Amino acid sequence: MMDRGNQSANSYQMLSGNSTQNPGDMMWDESSLLGLQISLSIILAIITLATVLSNIFVVITIFLTRKLHTPANFLIGSLAVTDLLVSILVMPISIVYTVSKTWSLGQIMCDIWLSSDITFCTASILHLCVIALDRYWAITDALEYSKRRTTRRAAVMIAVVWVISISISMPPLFWRQAKAHEELTECNVNTDQISYTIYSTFGAFYVPSVLLMILYGRIYVAARSRIFKPPSSCGKRFTTAQLIGGSAGSSLCSINSNSNQEGQQPSGSPVFVNHVKVKLADSVLERKRICAARERKATKTLGIILGAFVFCWLPFFVGTLVLGICKTCWFHPVLFDFFTWLGYLNSLINPVIYTAFNDEFKQAFQKLMKFKKCY
């Protein structure tokens, strides 16, 4: 993404040693270097292909499964589309640049690639924020937010994500035009612009990270309060409960908790009324257990997403900020390439997490793999 350290030394030749070796050793070193480049290319290509396929499956699963056509899942689908763009438009070119350590595609292609890299990676990160924000509103203000949780609202949130992402990626284009006719061997964002380095790293990572941690902390507190809330208070949320009698052949009963039918005896027997009350209490408890299990799972999933995000992107953005501020600091090119690809790896981890920890996604995905139409 934004910077690769602005170091022109060939990192792989640095690994192979000094130039004082004899010709035989040099031939051996060249062979080793070629093998290393081929191995690295294969590994990065596998990561890229896995990222493409996993995100395509998420998009197709949401598109073909009517049950998943909800605003919350549209946000997840938009994240998958963004990560898919990273894997198609950014990662393949990055493979060539990482392995060859030289840029041969020209200034215009460099500008397009860098802009796409910054825009799509930033959009991927900001999507995690809007998904967490949507989850926070849903868990802390369920009744009111359910009325406002529409497809149009999700589209507005996605649009805001892309506007912010583009505003972060555009500034470097303005000061690169002066070098448009020069021969280009490197494709990096100019870290001499310290103000932009601070603006881009904080806008793309540090501010979203703080927001995610705050939202996750509040979601965790809200989820725990709902999980440990007494069953009686949870029961007030349900106005109607459909109950099935314990004996075979008994009818389906519907009871409205707001009506004054508790004193009535539909069958003329107090025992029947008590039986219905017990069933109502059991139903409320069962719903409470289901509610608590879902809250725990959703909170755990969000925590894993947050942890994976910080693990993947923190080294890169710390390195970028340090290089931008400290002019005497230095990172080995191989280390910085590793940080860059660790960030790209987040685009593979996101769809894996959502499909592995979401039962609806897993069921729909299994049906899709069996070529069954999902409803």
Side-chain angles (χ1 to χ4, degrees), residues 145-296:
Y145 185 60
S146 63
K147 301 174 185 177
R148 304 192 302 266
R149 200 181 199 183
T150 61
T151 302
R152 182 178 179 181
R153 187 183 184 91
V156 171
M157 296 170 74
I158 292 170
V160 170
V161 164
W162 284 104
V163 168
I164 296 175
S165 301
I166 293 173
S167 68
I168 291 176
S169 67
M170 289 299 292
L173 296 178
F174 295 104
W175 61 70
R176 289 182 67 87
Q177 297 304 316
K179 301 180 180 180
H181 300 290
E182 296 181 10
E183 184 179 354
L184 199 67
T185 57
E186 294 182 347
C187 183
N188 304 305
V189 173
N190 187 0
T191 54
D192 292 337
Q193 300 286 340
I194 299 178
S195 58
Y196 173 73
T197 300
I198 296 174
Y199 162 73
S200 59
T201 55
F202 273 79
F205 178 76
Y206 292 107
V207 172
S209 296
V210 173
L211 179 61
L212 278 171
M213 291 177 185
I214 292 173
L215 289 173
Y216 176 70
R218 293 188 176 183
I219 289 171
Y220 179 77
V221 172
R224 285 184 63 85
S225 66
R226 288 181 62 173
I227 291 170
F228 295 106
K229 189 173 290 186
S232 58
S233 61
C234 183
K236 294 177 182 178
R237 298 176 187 173
F238 306 109
T239 57
T240 303
Q242 291 185 328
L243 311 172
I244 299 178
S247 58
S250 59
S251 60
L252 184 69
C253 303
S254 178
I255 296 191
N256 193 315
S257 62
N258 293 329
S259 65
N260 296 322
Q261 295 178 354
E262 291 187 4
Q264 298 179 4
Q265 299 180 7
S267 64
S269 171
V271 176
F272 180 82
V273 175
N274 291 334
H275 176 72
V276 170
K277 287 182 178 180
V278 170
K279 286 293 181 180
L280 178 60
D282 290 344
S283 177
V284 170
L285 288 172
E286 182 62 24
R287 293 190 185 201
K288 177 66 176 177
R289 283 192 290 268
I290 294 174
C291 174
R294 286 178 178 174
E295 297 298 347
R296 287 192 185 97

Side-chain angles (χ1 to χ4, degrees), residues 61-80:
T61 300
I62 294 176
F63 180 77
L64 295 180
T65 308
R66 295 180 184 177
K67 189 178 181 182
L68 297 178
H69 291 180
T70 64
N73 288 328
F74 288 151
L75 293 176
I76 295 175
S78 181
L79 170 64

Side-chain angles (χ1 to χ4, degrees), residues 2-22:
M2 303 171 187
D3 174 56
R4 296 178 184 276
N6 285 329
Q7 296 156 15
S8 59
N10 189 316
S11 57
Y12 300 107
Q13 290 179 349
M14 291 173 66
L15 287 175
S16 62
N18 299 323
S19 57
T20 57
Q21 300 165 324
N22 59 50

